[in-house]
């Protein structure tokens, strides 16, 4: 019998910078119930993506930088396995750096749902983000992939069962409950969404669908991206999107929706498809969006994952083949819908669309993702407000917009197109998360408080508000700042 080591949670990731995507990464040092194994389990391995101007005004000559967790804090003990909640960059983007660091055991698996298994390579191989690991490092990580066959209990390492539950954020996205040798059960929520989307339904209350033996008594990681009522309901923003799209298409405009390729890029065609079919207008998917679409279409993990139609003329959702095809489609007369990367407008096909369409009155650009300050999308929205004022006051004058092209640098274009921003994020707010925690405490635990809540994935304002709101449900509450260690 081995001497028992102290079980603990280390929050290795985290960011409180409101202008970045905070890196998600937690380490669970856990002993199995039979005391035969003491494992180091990593949950997510994200990177923080920042954009900073190298000179000039904000947005000029943007330089991408990726900040990984500090793996030197792990000491001599190596990671036995990595579990991924989903394959967004802020949850998986440091896997290459983890391999380089030497902190990952040679035989350690990388475990996830099938959507994440197949989608992971697209995140790891982003040329614009892989500044600290090579293709060989990515290939090493990809060879380690193992699939969680379905939601429920899965033995991720010998003697260590973990409970996985669909959580609504993305097709294949999961929360997980990890047991300790002392009989505790810790929940790491991953990113969560309560509202239904085409690619997946929202999370279910634990009292409605979780086995009693897997109800947590601690929460080791949260999704506190938003505070209470700090974002409009997703359903309201979708309705605004649909109404604007109908109005623009009836005017004969081409609608270009800039989108993150994973999640948003697959929801958008389904939200717009009824209007497109009614008006007989095609939907074109560009960049890597159709590749992820096919992963979601062909690999359903949970019964709550949506069923997507095949791409092609029969469905009315089609793929842009290459830049020449894109150019030909833009030259065609009449309305159309294009859904393309990148969501912030800084690189990828969206730059070609902007260069062609911003000077034209028969184009409307929809930004549907979170926009970093100084990104092309953020700057374009500001230019558009000035353009509206100019149109009203001096209609003979044409506004100008400055954008950054990765190839040609800063360029200035006439701004005759319309520009809109729709907040279609697949995160819940604090009200929804409080409902989730209250359900665990009042219904599942019959009023018994949780032992602790470790708050993660939020900025200073949202975490402070959450601490006030959630303290009534727990004996202890912690801010999961970077490199925080908590014994469980």
């Amino acid at each position: 019998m081995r001497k028992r080591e102290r079980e603990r949670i280390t929050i290795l990731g985290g960011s409180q910078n409101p202008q970045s995507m905070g890196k998600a990464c937690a380490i669970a040092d856990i002993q199995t119930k039979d005391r035969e194994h003491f494992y180091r389990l990593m949950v997510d391995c994200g990177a923080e993506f920042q954009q900073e101007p190298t000179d000039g005004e904000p947005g000029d000559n943007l330089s991408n930088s990726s900040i990984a967790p500090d793996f030197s804090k792990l000491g001599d003990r190596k990671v036995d396995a990595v579990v991924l909640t989903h394959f967004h960059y802020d949850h998986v983007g440091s896997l290459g750096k983890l391999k380089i660091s030497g902190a990952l055991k040679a035989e350690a698996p990388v475990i996830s749902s099938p959507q994440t298994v197949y989608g992971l390579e697209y995140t790891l191989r982003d040329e614009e983000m892989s500044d600290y690991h090579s293709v060989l490092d990515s290939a090493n990580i990809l060879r380690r992939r193992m699939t969680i066959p379905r939601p429920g209990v899965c033995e991720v390492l010998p003697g260590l069962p973990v409970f996985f539950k669909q959580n609504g954020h993305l097709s294949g996205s999961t929360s997980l409950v990890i047991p300790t040798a002392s009989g505790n059960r810790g929940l790491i929520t991953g990113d969560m969404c309560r509202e239904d989307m085409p690619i997946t339904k929202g999370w279910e209350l634990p009292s409605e669908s979780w086995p009693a033996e897997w109800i947590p008594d601690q929460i080791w990681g949260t999704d506190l991206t938003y505070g209470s009522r700090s974002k409009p309901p997703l359903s309201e923003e979708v309705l605004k999107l649909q109404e604007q799209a109908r109005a623009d298409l009836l005017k004969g405009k081409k609608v270009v929706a800039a989108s993150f390729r994973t999640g948003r890029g697959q929801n958008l065609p389904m939200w717009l498809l009824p209007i497109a079919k009614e008006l007989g207008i095609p939907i074109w998917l560009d960049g890597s969006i159709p590749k992820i679409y096919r992963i979601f279409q062909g690999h359903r993990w949970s019964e709550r994952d949506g069923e997507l139609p095949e791409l092609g003329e029969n469905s009315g959702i089609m793929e842009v083949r290459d830049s020449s095809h894109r150019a030909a489609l833009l030259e065609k007369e009449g309305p159309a819908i294009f859904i393309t990367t990148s969501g912030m407008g800084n690189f990828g096909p969206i730059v070609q669309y902007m260069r062609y369409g911003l000077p034209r009155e028969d184009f409307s650009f929809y930004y549907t993702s979170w926009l970093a300050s100084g990104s092309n999308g953020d700057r374009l929205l500001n230019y558009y407000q000035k353009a509206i004022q100019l149109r009203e006051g001096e209609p003979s004058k044409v506004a100008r917009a400055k954008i950054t092209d990765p190839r040609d640098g800063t360029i200035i274009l006439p701004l005759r197109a319309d520009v809109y921003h729709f907040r279609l994020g697949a995160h819940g707010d604090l009200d929804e998360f409080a409902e989730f925690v209250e359900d665990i405490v009042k219904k599942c635990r019959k009023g018994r408080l949780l032992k602790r809540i470790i708050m993660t994935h939020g900025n200073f304002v949202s975490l402070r508000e959450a601490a006030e709101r959630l303290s009534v449900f727990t004996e202890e509450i912690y801010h999961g700042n970077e490199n925080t260690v908590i014994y469980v």
Side-chain angles (χ1 to χ4, degrees):
M1 188 73 67
R2 295 183 180 182
K3 180 181 178 180
R4 182 180 174 188
E5 301 183 60
R6 291 192 70 183
E7 298 176 305
R8 60 190 177 272
I9 298 298
T10 302
I11 306 301
L12 206 61
S15 172
Q16 295 177 358
N17 181 352
Q19 298 301 333
S20 70
M21 296 189 224
K23 51 190 179 292
C25 185
I27 299 291
D29 289 314
I30 298 297
Q31 193 165 31
T32 56
K33 190 173 182 180
D34 60 13
R35 305 288 199 267
E36 288 297 316
H37 303 280
F38 193 92
Y39 291 125
R40 170 159 281 178
L41 185 68
M42 177 179 284
V43 180
D44 286 337
C45 189
E48 181 178 344
F49 178 54
Q50 293 185 324
Q51 294 179 301
E52 299 175 352
T54 56
D55 55 50
E57 66 177 87
D60 286 351
N61 302 313
L62 282 174
S63 173
N64 295 339
S65 61
S66 298
I67 304 173
D70 185 357
F71 298 118
S72 69
K73 301 290 185 182
L74 295 176
D76 294 333
R77 179 184 290 277
K78 295 190 176 185
V79 174
D80 293 285
V82 181
V83 174
L84 304 176
T85 61
H86 62 291
F87 62 106
H88 279 154
Y89 184 74
D90 59 327
H91 288 256
V92 305
S94 290
L95 283 167
K97 183 65 175 293
L98 174 65
K99 189 265 177 183
I100 291 174
S101 74
L104 187 64
K105 281 188 175 179
E107 69 278 10
V110 177
I111 305 166
S112 65
S113 69
Q115 292 96 322
T116 299
V117 162
Y118 289 101
L120 184 59
E121 62 181 290
Y122 293 100
T123 308
L124 292 186
R125 292 174 178 170
D126 279 349
E127 292 181 2
E128 65 276 7
M129 296 179 179
S130 59
D131 56 345
Y132 51 50
H133 69 273
S134 70
V135 171
L136 292 177
D137 299 313
S138 294
N140 179 276
I141 292 295
L142 295 173
R143 285 195 296 269
R144 299 169 180 265
R145 291 174 294 179
M146 293 180 59
T147 303
I148 305 161
R150 62 188 63 83
V153 180
C154 178
E155 189 175 61
V156 298
L157 290 164
L160 182 61
V162 172
F163 175 71
F164 294 90
K165 183 65 179 178
Q166 178 266 1
N167 64 4
H169 175 66
L170 185 70
S171 181
S173 180
T174 183
S175 300
L176 60 150
V177 179
I178 304 169
T180 70
S182 56
N184 296 319
R185 295 173 298 278
L187 166 66
I188 296 177
T189 66
D191 292 351
M192 303 174 69
C193 184
R194 180 67 159 144
E195 293 193 80
D196 292 345
M197 295 175 284
I199 60 172
T200 188
K201 293 182 179 179
W203 54 261
E204 298 174 296
L205 288 169
S207 63
E208 297 173 346
S209 60
W210 291 38
E213 64 271 22
W214 287 102
I215 296 297
D217 50 27
Q218 307 183 40
I219 298 178
W220 297 340
T222 63
D223 179 6
L224 297 173
T225 305
Y226 297 104
S228 177
R229 294 181 293 278
S230 64
K231 64 181 288 286
L234 178 61
S235 55
E236 290 182 8
E237 286 294 288
V238 170
L239 183 59
K240 291 179 184 178
L241 167 81
Q242 292 170 330
E243 290 175 346
Q244 187 62 55
R246 177 186 294 277
D248 284 339
L249 294 168
L250 286 172
K251 293 176 184 176
K253 289 192 171 192
K254 287 181 170 62
V255 169
V256 180
S259 169
F260 289 156
R261 65 144 174 252
T262 301
R264 210 76 42 90
Q266 294 71 46
N267 280 321
L268 279 166
M270 300 306 297
W271 282 326
L272 295 174
L273 186 59
I275 299 169
K277 283 189 172 182
E278 176 190 340
L279 302 178
I281 292 169
I283 296 177
W284 295 96
L285 305 186
D286 207 341
S288 52
I289 288 173
K291 295 180 176 62
I292 305 301
Y293 183 103
R294 288 190 175 93
I295 289 173
F296 291 169
Q297 196 260 340
H299 299 279
R300 295 178 69 235
W301 179 58
S302 162
E303 292 181 354
R304 299 181 67 77
D305 289 335
E307 296 188 49
L308 303 180
E310 293 280 353
L311 297 179
E313 292 185 0
N314 288 339
S315 67
I317 305 173
M318 294 166 286
E319 181 176 5
V320 178
R321 296 189 299 271
D322 51 36
S323 59
S324 298
H325 186 209
R326 182 184 310 124
L329 292 171
L330 288 172
E331 291 289 347
K332 291 184 66 174
E333 293 186 3
I337 298 171
F338 299 93
I339 300 171
T340 183
T341 54
S342 73
M344 295 192 200
N346 290 336
F347 47 79
I350 185 60
V351 178
Q352 184 176 348
Y353 285 101
M354 289 191 297
R355 295 190 68 157
Y356 184 90
L358 288 179
R360 300 173 61 103
E361 295 180 353
D362 60 341
F363 271 72
S364 279
F365 286 83
Y366 298 175
Y367 287 86
T368 65
S369 304
W370 172 79
L371 296 173
S373 179
S375 62
N376 275 340
D378 175 68
R379 300 168 77 193
L380 194 53
L381 286 165
N382 292 327
Y383 289 128
Y384 182 62
Q385 293 305 312
K386 297 176 182 178
I388 292 175
Q389 295 173 4
L390 192 61
R391 292 174 190 178
E392 294 173 350
E394 301 180 73
S396 61
K397 292 186 177 180
V398 178
R400 301 282 171 172
K402 182 192 292 186
I403 67 170
T404 300
D405 187 316
R407 296 173 302 175
D408 299 333
T410 300
I411 58 175
I412 298 176
L413 299 168
L415 179 54
R416 297 186 178 91
D418 292 318
V419 184
Y420 304 97
H421 189 200
F422 300 97
R423 300 177 65 187
L424 301 173
H427 296 264
D429 63 12
L430 179 56
D431 295 328
E432 293 174 2
F433 187 70
E435 177 191 11
F436 178 84
V437 176
E438 183 176 18
D439 182 76
I440 292 174
V441 170
K442 291 188 175 180
K443 292 189 177 180
C444 300
R445 293 175 54 81
K446 310 301 182 186
R448 289 181 293 119
L449 298 181
L450 294 165
K451 293 186 178 180
R452 61 179 56 84
I453 296 176
I454 305 172
M455 301 183 303
T456 60
H457 211 296
N459 58 40
F460 179 79
V461 174
S462 65
L463 293 173
R464 182 179 61 185
E465 184 182 4
E468 296 174 357
R469 184 81 171 271
L470 301 176
S471 60
V472 297
F473 301 121
T474 183
E475 296 173 9
E476 301 175 338
I477 195 160
Y478 296 89
H479 287 258
N481 297 326
E482 192 170 7
N483 303 324
T484 298
V485 179
I486 299 169
Y487 291 93
V488 297

